[in-house]
C-alpha cells in the first residue's frame, strides 16, 4: 500500500471513531433534553434504538410472531421503529433478488443487517441519494415506481416501506422541484400493478404505510381502510399477513385496523415555528409522525 493509501485508511478510521463518538453525544443530548422528536440528537437516538432492536433476536421474534410489544417500546420515535423490524423479521433467509422500492434500506445499519447479507439488492427511487453503497454491490436505479425499468417476473421479493403514500403527490420536498409532476393521488394503484408485473409467481410484497384517518398533506396522503383495501384489491395475489400498530403517549403498541382508524398524523413540516427549547409546537403525546402504521405481506399468485 502506498503512503497516501495508508494515510487515507488511517484518516478513515479516525473519522469513523469521531462519528461514533459524536453520534453518542447527540443521542445522549436528546435523552437529557426532553426527548422532543426531530430536535437535536433525534436521528442519532433513533438509529441507536433501531440497532438495538434489529440486533435483538428476542425482539425480532416478537415482530415475526406479531406479539405485543414491550412496554414503552419506541417512545417518542416515528414509525420506522416498527416498519424495519416488522419487514426484516419476515424476509426469507435464503438468497433472493430483492427490490427496495423507495430507498428506505439505504443506511449502513440497515444494509449491514445479516438478513440482507445474501440478497441481490436493487434500490429504485425517484431522485439520487446523497450516499450509496456501491461497494456492497447494491444496484441503484432512478425512475418512477409507476414505470420501472425491470423485466417481467424479475424479483423474488419487493419491499415498499412508507413510499406508496407519496406516489402521485407533490415531490418538491424530495427533489427540490426538479421532478415536479401532475398530482394524481389515485395512481398508487399503478405502482401495485407494476409490482405485479416485476414480481415472480409466489413472490412476496412487503408493504407499509401511515394509517388512520384519511389526510392529504400535499407531499403524501395518509391511507385509511378504504385505500389499504384498494391496494390489496389491485395486487395479483393474496394478503398473507397484516399487522397494525398504534402510537400512544407511552410508546408503540400492537393494535387493530379498527382501533387505528381515527388516528391522525403529526406533520413536523407544518410546524412553522419549531423551537427545540419549547414544547408549544408538539401535540400532547409527542408523536413524531404517524400515530398508526399498517404492515402487509402479500403473496403473488402462482
Amino acid at each position: 500500500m502506498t503512503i497516501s493509501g495508508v494515510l487515507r485508511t488511517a484518516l478513515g478510521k479516525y473519522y469513523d471513531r469521531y462519528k461514533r463518538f459524536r453520534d453518542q453525544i447527540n443521542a445522549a443530548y436528546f435523552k437529557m433534553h426532553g426527548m422532543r422528536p426531530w430536535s437535536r440528537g433525534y436521528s442519532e437516538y433513533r438509529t441507536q434504538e433501531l440497532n438495538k432492536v434489529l440486533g435483538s433476536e428476542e425482539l425480532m421474534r416478537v415482530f415475526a410472531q406479531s406479539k405485543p410489544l414491550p412496554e414503552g417500546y419506541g417512545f417518542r420515535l416515528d414509525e420506522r421503529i416498527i416498519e424495519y423490524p416488522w419487514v426484516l423479521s419476515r424476509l426469507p433467509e435464503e438468497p433472493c433478488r430483492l427490490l427496495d422500492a423507495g430507498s428506505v434500506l439505504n443506511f449502513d445499519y440497515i444494509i449491514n443487517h445479516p438478513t440482507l447479507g445474501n440478497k441481490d439488492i436493487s434500490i429504485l427511487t425517484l431522485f439520487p441519494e446523497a450516499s450509496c453503497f456501491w461497494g456492497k454491490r447494491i444496484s441503484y436505479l432512478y425512475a418512477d415506481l409507476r414505470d420501472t425499468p425491470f423485466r417481467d417476473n424479475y424479483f423474488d421479493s419487493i419491499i415498499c416501506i412508507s413510499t406508496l403514500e407519496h406516489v402521485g403527490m407533490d415531490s418538491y420536498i424530495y427533489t427540490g422541484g426538479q421532478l415536479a409532476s401532475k398530482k394524481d393521488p389515485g395512481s398508487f394503484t399503478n405502482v401495485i400493478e407494476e409490482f405485479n408485473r416485476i414480481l415472480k409467481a409466489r413472490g412476496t410484497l412487503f408493504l407499509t404505510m401511515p394509517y388512520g384517518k384519511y389526510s392529504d398533506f400535499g407531499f403524501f396522503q395518509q391511507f385509511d381502510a378504504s385505500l389499504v383495501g384498494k391496494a390489496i384489491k389491485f395486487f395479483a395475489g393474496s394478503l398473507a399477513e397484516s399487522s397494525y400498530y398504534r402510537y400512544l403517549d407511552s410508546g408503540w403498541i400492537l393494535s387493530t385496523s379498527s382501533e387505528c382508524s381515527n388516528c391522525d398524523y403529526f406533520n413536523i413540516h407544518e410546524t412553522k415555528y419549531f423551537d427545540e427549547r419549547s414544547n408549544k409546537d408538539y401535540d400532547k403525546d409527542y408523536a413524531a409522525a404517524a400515530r398508526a402504521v399498517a404492515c402487509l405481506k402479500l403473496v403473488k399468485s402462482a
Side-chain angles (χ1 to χ4, degrees):
M1 183 180 292
T2 64
I3 293 177
S4 61
V6 171
L7 286 173
R8 282 197 301 270
T9 301
L11 288 172
K13 290 180 179 179
Y14 173 79
Y15 176 77
D16 288 342
R17 287 197 295 270
Y18 161 75
K19 186 176 183 298
R20 284 195 296 270
F21 178 71
R22 182 197 63 190
D23 290 350
Q24 290 170 0
I25 293 295
N26 283 333
Y29 182 93
F30 176 75
K31 291 180 69 176
M32 294 171 61
H33 290 79
M35 296 187 69
R36 292 181 289 274
W38 310 109
S39 63
R40 176 186 166 185
Y42 174 80
S43 295
E44 291 86 352
Y45 176 76
R46 179 180 65 171
T47 298
Q48 187 181 91
E49 292 301 295
L50 275 166
N51 271 315
K52 290 178 184 177
V53 175
L54 297 177
S56 167
E57 292 184 5
E58 181 180 357
L59 280 173
M60 292 299 278
R61 279 196 299 270
V62 166
F63 276 98
Q65 299 169 13
S66 293
K67 291 183 176 180
L69 299 175
E71 184 177 355
Y73 180 87
F75 178 65
R76 295 192 180 179
L77 292 175
D78 61 73
E79 58 269 30
R80 294 296 183 275
I81 200 71
I82 296 294
E83 294 168 309
Y84 282 133
W86 194 90
V87 170
L88 291 179
S89 68
R90 286 165 171 77
L91 278 181
E93 294 183 0
E94 61 271 13
C96 73
R97 188 174 284 158
L98 173 68
L99 173 64
D100 170 13
S103 191
V104 291
L105 302 181
N106 196 51
F107 301 93
D108 55 359
Y109 63 95
I110 301 296
I111 287 295
N112 290 326
H113 192 272
T115 301
L116 298 175
N118 62 352
K119 306 294 187 289
D120 181 4
I121 301 173
S122 295
I123 292 179
L124 180 66
T125 187
L126 192 59
F127 204 69
E129 296 282 6
S131 60
C132 297
F133 297 94
W134 301 105
K136 292 185 176 294
R137 298 184 68 252
I138 308 297
S139 299
Y140 292 85
L141 298 96
Y142 308 103
D144 193 311
L145 288 176
R146 293 167 291 190
D147 184 19
T148 74
F150 303 108
R151 63 175 172 80
D152 295 357
N153 309 309
Y154 187 70
F155 291 101
D156 300 288
S157 294
I158 298 175
I159 290 174
C160 186
I161 293 177
S162 277
T163 298
L164 196 64
E165 66 271 16
H166 295 282
V167 174
M169 308 299 284
D170 186 354
S171 61
Y172 180 86
I173 194 172
Y174 302 106
T175 69
Q178 296 185 48
L179 294 174
S181 59
K182 182 180 178 181
K183 189 173 179 180
D184 186 7
S187 64
F188 72 87
T189 58
N190 299 130
V191 177
I192 300 297
E193 291 176 328
E194 188 69 354
F195 287 163
N196 290 335
R197 183 183 69 79
I198 63 178
L199 194 60
K200 293 180 181 179
R202 305 304 301 168
T204 52
L205 168 62
F206 298 95
L207 191 62
T208 75
M209 68 280 287
Y211 177 80
K213 188 186 302 180
Y214 178 80
S215 300
D216 182 343
F217 291 98
F219 68 102
F220 84 98
Q221 57 184 334
Q222 174 161 281
F223 273 47
D224 59 8
S226 175
L227 291 188
V228 169
K230 195 171 184 180
I232 296 171
K233 179 181 178 181
F234 272 77
F235 185 73
S238 59
L239 177 65
E241 189 178 357
S242 63
S243 300
Y244 291 81
Y245 295 86
R246 185 161 50 108
Y247 184 79
L248 305 177
D249 56 8
S250 57
W252 287 91
I253 64 168
L254 182 65
S255 190
T256 66
S257 59
S258 59
E259 290 173 343
C260 297
S261 61
N262 287 319
C263 287
D264 289 311
Y265 189 98
F266 174 73
N267 183 12
I268 190 65
H269 299 289
E270 291 182 350
T271 308
K272 297 180 181 179
Y273 305 104
F274 174 73
D275 180 353
E276 67 179 49
R277 294 169 299 179
S278 77
N279 298 336
K280 64 182 181 181
D281 298 311
Y282 290 98
D283 292 336
K284 188 177 180 180
D285 60 359
Y286 282 82
R291 287 189 172 88
V293 61
C295 303
L296 314 175
K297 177 183 176 181
L298 300 108
V299 179
K300 184 177 176 180
S301 299

